[in-house]
Structures are given as C-alpha cells and as structure tokens.
Amino acid sequence: MSLITRLRLSSTYLPLAQPISDAKVLTGRQKPMTEIAMLFVEVETDDGHQGLGFSYSKRAGGPGQFAHAREIAPALIGEDASDIARLWDKLCWAGASVGRSGLSTQAIGAFDVALWDLKAKRSGLSLAKLLGAYRESVRCYNTSGGFLHTPIDQLLVNAAASRERGIGGIKLKVGQPDGTLDIQRVEAVRKHLGDAMPLMVDANQQWDRPTAQRMCRIFEQFNLVWIEEPLDAYDHEGHAALAQAFDTPIATGEMLTSAAEHGDLIRHRAADYLMPDGPRVGGITPFLKIAGQAEQAGLLLAPHFAMELHIHLAAAYPREPWVEHFEWLEPLFNERIEIRDGRMLVPTRPGLGVSLSEQARTWTREQAVVEQR
C-alpha cells in the first residue's frame, strides 16, 4: 500500500499574450479570453512518491474549482493511492450535492490525473506505456494561430510557420456573423498551404441548424479533416444529421463534462471524431471509459486542448488519433514536447513527464495544504 499523506492545491492563473477571440466573442456571447485558471494538485505518499495533476477553466470558474477541490481533498488522506477508480467515486460522493458533471468533476480531474501520474512514476513508465500505448507518436494540429482575431495575412504566416515547425495540420476558427468571411479565410489558407495539408475548421457552437447545413455544404469543397462544433454542444440530433448528410467528418465533444454526457452523444452517432477533454470530464479515469465507448462505436479520437496530458491518452487509443497543439501551457512546465514530421512524440519520462516551473509558482494566487495529522 502507498498511503496518501499530503496534498498541495494551487490556484494558478496563466496570462495569455493577447486577448483571444473565437465566434462566441464575435456573436456577443462571451468576452475575449485573457487568462486560464489552472488548478494543480500535488499528491505525496508515505513511501515518498509524488504525483502532479491539473485541471483548468476558461473565462470563469477558477475560484469555484479551487474551492470545491479544497473541500473534498481531505477525503483522500490515508487512502491507498493505487485505488484510483474507488477514490474517484469517493471524491464524487464527497461533493455529490453539486452533481456529477461540470465544475465538480473538473475539480476531481486534477486529483485523478495526479494519482495516475504517481502510479506511472512508481512503475517507472510513461503514462502512455502504463495505459498500453499503440504508438510512439501522434498526429498533431495547431489551433492557436487560427483564431478569429487574427487577420488573414497573419493567418497565412501562422499556418506556414506551424508547417515549417513540423506540425501536421492547421485548424481555423469560423462561425462569424458574416459567413462569407469564414469562406474567404478557409479558401485563402487552403490555397496558401495546398491541397495536401490537413485542414480543420471550428465553429464553436455558433451556427443554427439551417446555417450549419449551408456552411457544411460549402466547406465540402475544401477537403477538410473535420468541421468542429457546428451546433450547440448538446444538440446531438443536429450533429448526427450533419454527420450523416456530408462527407466531411463532424467533430464535437469538448464541452461535455462527464462520461455520461459523452455516452449520450455516442448513442446518437453525433460525431465522426470524438473530442473529449480529460480534465473537463473528471480526469483520466472517466476519459478511459469514454475512449472505450468510442472505440466500440468505431469513432475516431481527437482530445481537446492540454497536449501535455492528451498525448499520452491519444497514444493509447487503438485507431490513429489527432492531438491538438497549443503552446499556451508550456510556461507552466519545465519540459517540452518534441514535434517531428507532423507528429508529436510521446514523452518517455515517467508519468506525464512534466514538472511545474518556477514561473507557475509565481503565477499562483492561492494555495492550500491538506495533510495527515
């Protein structure tokens, strides 16, 4: 047994170099994003092992995640760190009055990731190897260069730079009130990069059903890898209709916050590419349940954000997946992920293969320590 003796929780705010705008901003539903609230959990055991986990929220929810995590953390003290599935349930029941999805499970996610990181480190294996890797590298695509606040000229520069860096695909944000601007941007990038470069688009839930039908039909000509979130994240019937009607695959799932919600999406056949977000669904334990359902349904996988975690989870998925390249989180960690020939190399260091940087400590606004007495 490896008993948990100490937990350190950190509420850390990562500033973004410039305000980020997608279609939700241009349609007036949200304000530009200026920072990401990170929840870090560091777990220690009586035999000297340590694990690091994290979750996050964007625009709102950071203080709530930290508060919930601080409330439920004592439930882990004295427990065997190896009993990860049981401990996930214990944390869930510790905060059951606020539900089993959303903010509550996102707080649990940081603990769950930390326990899996610890388990892999104890085994001397990377997380991917512990889970049973199918591959040593994963196809990757870049999103951070394609936001709607980026002018077309700069969009072309960013896309070319990503390709030269060795990134395998480019994703562009669409969903503007004027759809002709979306078409112009996609057409310009496709022409600039050529037909062979994998290209995706993401509407961030901003189209209604008639608009989505029309835009998906227009985008068929651009040979896209997928069209992401053309409709509201919970409109499974609408997504299913698009997936059936068009050759271009439909991708969705990033906004769902539990395994149960993903199960409903899968039953509706609402996606060709499933895009679960590990921290959002509650960590690695529920992510693996989702991946199992997705594999059985014959779906492709493209986890959302947090490449430092999802590179490992994608490497353990049977069908060839994609991982989203976002450099935003890099200042938080001392290590970097290597990219080569369009693919992201799976780290071979034990666990997640990352450690918190001094910069992350500097950006920390609040901490809590829970330990055995």
Side-chain angles (χ1 to χ4, degrees):
M1 298 180 67
S2 183
L3 303 183
I4 298 171
T5 58
R6 190 173 189 269
L7 295 158
R8 179 161 69 173
L9 284 56
S10 303
S11 179
T12 302
Y13 284 75
L14 168 68
L16 299 177
Q18 60 179 329
I20 301 301
S21 296
D22 57 24
K24 295 187 293 294
V25 174
L26 297 189
T27 54
R29 292 181 171 179
Q30 292 183 340
K31 295 180 179 180
M33 182 166 54
T34 59
E35 61 185 8
I36 299 174
M38 303 293 301
L39 169 63
F40 290 108
V41 169
E42 297 166 87
V43 57
E44 299 178 13
T45 61
D46 61 349
D47 53 0
H49 293 284
Q50 298 180 341
L52 172 66
F54 61 87
S55 189
Y56 45 79
S57 59
K58 301 175 181 178
R59 293 186 175 89
Q65 274 190 13
F66 180 76
H68 189 71
R70 184 169 51 189
E71 279 193 295
I72 63 176
L76 293 185
I77 297 299
E79 291 284 3
D80 187 343
S82 297
D83 297 341
I84 301 176
R86 181 179 65 82
L87 295 181
W88 196 98
D89 286 346
K90 186 175 184 181
L91 290 173
C92 185
W93 282 106
S97 64
V98 292
R100 302 183 186 183
S101 64
L103 184 148
S104 60
T105 50
Q106 291 170 33
I108 293 173
F111 295 100
D112 188 78
V113 172
L115 292 174
W116 278 101
D117 181 55
L118 185 151
K119 186 172 186 176
K121 287 175 178 175
R122 288 180 64 194
S123 302
L125 299 171
S126 69
L127 177 61
K129 291 292 186 183
L130 180 72
L131 297 175
Y134 279 84
R135 56 193 64 83
E136 306 296 326
S137 65
V138 180
R139 293 181 297 183
C140 63
Y141 69 96
N142 179 264
T143 294
S144 57
F147 277 87
L148 289 180
H149 64 266
T150 308
I152 288 184
D153 289 348
Q154 187 61 46
L155 203 66
L156 302 182
V157 172
N158 294 348
S162 292
R163 181 170 60 181
E164 292 171 6
R165 184 178 174 183
I167 291 172
I170 302 296
K171 188 170 79 177
L172 306 177
K173 296 291 186 175
V174 295
Q176 302 184 71
D178 182 356
T180 59
L181 298 177
D182 290 334
I183 298 168
Q184 291 172 9
R185 290 165 68 86
V186 175
E187 187 173 30
V189 173
R190 172 53 82 203
K191 182 178 179 180
H192 186 66
L193 296 178
D195 294 334
M197 185 72 176
L199 186 63
M200 306 85 160
V201 300
D202 181 1
N204 287 113
Q205 310 178 73
Q206 296 309 292
W207 292 329
D208 56 28
R209 290 192 183 187
T211 303
Q213 286 274 351
R214 183 166 57 253
M215 295 302 290
C216 285
R217 185 174 295 111
I218 292 171
F219 283 149
E220 290 271 68
Q221 65 183 299
F222 296 118
N223 189 31
L224 302 177
V225 178
W226 68 63
I227 298 173
E228 184 175 335
E229 286 193 325
L231 299 168
D232 184 275
Y234 292 93
D235 185 0
H236 300 333
E237 291 182 355
H239 279 110
L242 295 174
Q244 186 174 9
F246 297 104
D247 293 336
T248 304
I250 298 299
T252 189
E254 70 176 65
M255 297 304 298
L256 305 185
T257 59
S258 70
E261 291 178 359
H262 278 275
D264 193 37
L265 184 153
I266 293 169
R267 283 190 295 273
H268 278 86
R269 307 296 302 183
D272 301 294
Y273 277 93
L274 196 65
M275 312 188 83
D277 183 311
R280 277 185 180 163
V281 300
I284 296 168
T285 298
F287 185 99
L288 295 177
K289 295 178 181 178
I290 294 167
Q293 294 179 72
E295 179 192 356
Q296 188 174 26
L299 302 183
L300 298 167
L301 190 75
H304 168 256
F305 200 55
M307 63 185 184
E308 291 81 3
L309 168 61
H310 290 134
I311 180 63
H312 294 276
L313 302 182
Y317 192 70
R319 293 179 176 85
E320 181 71 32
W322 285 90
V323 170
E324 188 169 24
H325 177 269
F326 260 105
E327 67 275 13
W328 292 356
L329 302 187
E330 286 185 343
L332 299 170
F333 305 109
N334 293 312
E335 299 78 11
R336 297 291 179 268
I337 296 177
E338 186 177 351
I339 296 170
R340 186 185 307 156
D341 300 327
R343 303 179 70 86
M344 193 177 293
L345 305 189
V346 181
T348 58
R349 299 177 295 273
L352 293 175
V354 295
S355 57
L356 284 180
S357 67
E358 287 303 314
Q359 181 62 74
R361 305 291 187 191
T362 300
W363 286 331
T364 296
R365 298 182 186 176
E366 192 172 3
Q367 284 192 335
V369 175
V370 180
E371 54 190 346
Q372 197 169 42
R373 295 179 179 178

